[in-house]
Amino acid sequence: AQSVAQPEDQVNVAEGNPLTVKCTYSVSGNPYLFWYVQYPNRGLQFLLKYITGDNLVKGSYGFEAEFNKSQTSFHLKKPSALVSDSALYFCAVSHSNTGNQFYFGTGTSLTVIP
Amino acid sequence: DVKVTQSSRYLVKRTGEKVFLECVQDMDHENMFWYRQDPGLGLRLIYFSYDVKMKEKGDIPEGYSVSREKKERFSLILESASTNQTSMYLCTSGTGGFYQPQHFGDGTRLSIL
């Protein structure tokens, strides 16, 4: 079965420090991986995706993510956190075998402390 | 920019009522999806559609149905609302291809009393 896991429900980080939000996946073959962010009472907004090529992908608002095939991970990172980065983050995976279906993680709530 | 519009941000209904949630997208996308979002469970797929008059069940279709009479509009129907259907409902659209991101509406927070 295809799935994606976000092992941390909550991540706290001080403003200015680097942040990491973890995601692992289990998909047979080559996955397509996405990160989304959700602010309170809003829908999800696309941040970045990995399809193929360079393992480090850059996205919106200074976020980046590293695809690691051997560890089946796709962790979201930012070198210097802002208070405005506080939000709910979702990892998602799709695959050629899933048709157009996407599988979402359970979400990680990020709090950046001033 | 793609715009996905959900007709209501907040909705309160009573058990047993038939409830309609509407979603419209303005980018001529083939694919549209309905998810529900619950704390600790993430997003779960209810139904999706690849084309007009076409629908496919997702992971949790029980108690729901959908309608897609026009390409831009995808409706979710709760046939007889129950309290366990209280949730945040998210509509998305996207182009063909599993490597393209989905575009989300702002959600409808539905409460069933």
Side-chain angles (χ1 to χ4, degrees):
Chain A
Q2 336 285 356
S3 70
V4 59
Q6 294 180 242
E8 300 161 318
D9 292 334
Q10 174 81 38
V11 170
N12 297 326
V13 63
E15 186 177 22
N17 282 2
L19 69 87
T20 298
V21 182
K22 296 179 181 177
C23 173
T24 59
Y25 65 90
S26 60
V27 163
S28 55
N30 296 317
Y32 302 94
L33 295 154
F34 304 80
W35 275 104
Y36 292 83
V37 60
Q38 185 181 33
Y39 298 102
N41 297 314
R42 301 297 301 274
L44 279 66
Q45 297 176 29
F46 168 70
L47 278 179
L48 52 79
K49 66 179 179 182
Y50 172 82
I51 304 301
T52 187
D54 194 349
N55 289 343
L56 185 65
V57 294
K58 295 185 183 296
S60 307
Y61 312 121
F63 284 93
E64 58 189 28
E66 186 169 10
F67 172 64
N68 187 318
K69 190 169 185 177
S70 63
Q71 297 186 3
T72 62
S73 67
F74 189 57
H75 301 332
L76 181 70
K77 299 181 180 184
K78 188 173 183 181
S80 178
L82 301 173
V83 172
S84 58
D85 293 330
S86 298
L88 192 56
Y89 291 82
F90 288 92
C91 183
V93 64
S94 69
H95 184 266
S96 57
N97 290 340
T98 70
N100 278 311
Q101 289 198 46
F102 292 74
Y103 293 90
F104 287 84
T106 52
T108 297
S109 179
L110 172 69
T111 300
V112 180
I113 303 163
Chain B
D1 276 357
V2 176
K3 189 156 182 65
V4 178
T5 303
Q6 295 183 229
S7 55
S8 304
R9 294 295 302 277
Y10 301 93
L11 206 53
V12 180
K13 296 291 183 181
R14 297 205 172 274
T15 54
E17 282 193 66
K18 192 169 186 176
V19 181
F20 294 85
L21 302 183
E22 306 287 347
C23 176
V24 177
Q25 50 96 1
D26 66 356
M27 282 301 292
D28 201 37
H29 284 163
E30 300 89 356
N31 305 327
M32 297 187 76
F33 301 77
W34 276 106
Y35 295 88
R36 62 177 284 177
Q37 180 182 7
D38 300 288
L41 296 177
L43 277 68
R44 292 179 292 168
L45 181 62
I46 306 171
Y47 267 97
F48 58 101
S49 170
Y50 294 151
D51 203 348
V52 175
K53 296 193 185 295
M54 179 271 175
K55 60 185 178 183
E56 293 283 347
K57 292 180 179 179
D59 298 320
I60 53 163
E62 296 78 19
Y64 302 94
S65 63
V66 290
S67 172
R68 193 165 182 199
E69 296 296 317
K70 294 184 178 181
K71 192 174 185 179
E72 67 270 18
R73 185 180 296 272
F74 192 36
S75 303
L76 180 68
I77 304 156
L78 284 65
E79 297 292 341
S80 178
S82 64
T83 55
N84 63 12
Q85 293 178 309
T86 291
S87 186
M88 170 73 104
Y89 289 87
L90 294 168
C91 174
T92 78
S93 75
T95 60
F98 41 83
Y99 50 86
Q100 298 291 356
Q102 297 187 356
H103 300 268
F104 282 78
D106 279 339
T108 297
R109 189 165 293 281
L110 175 64
S111 296
I112 306 297
L113 304 180

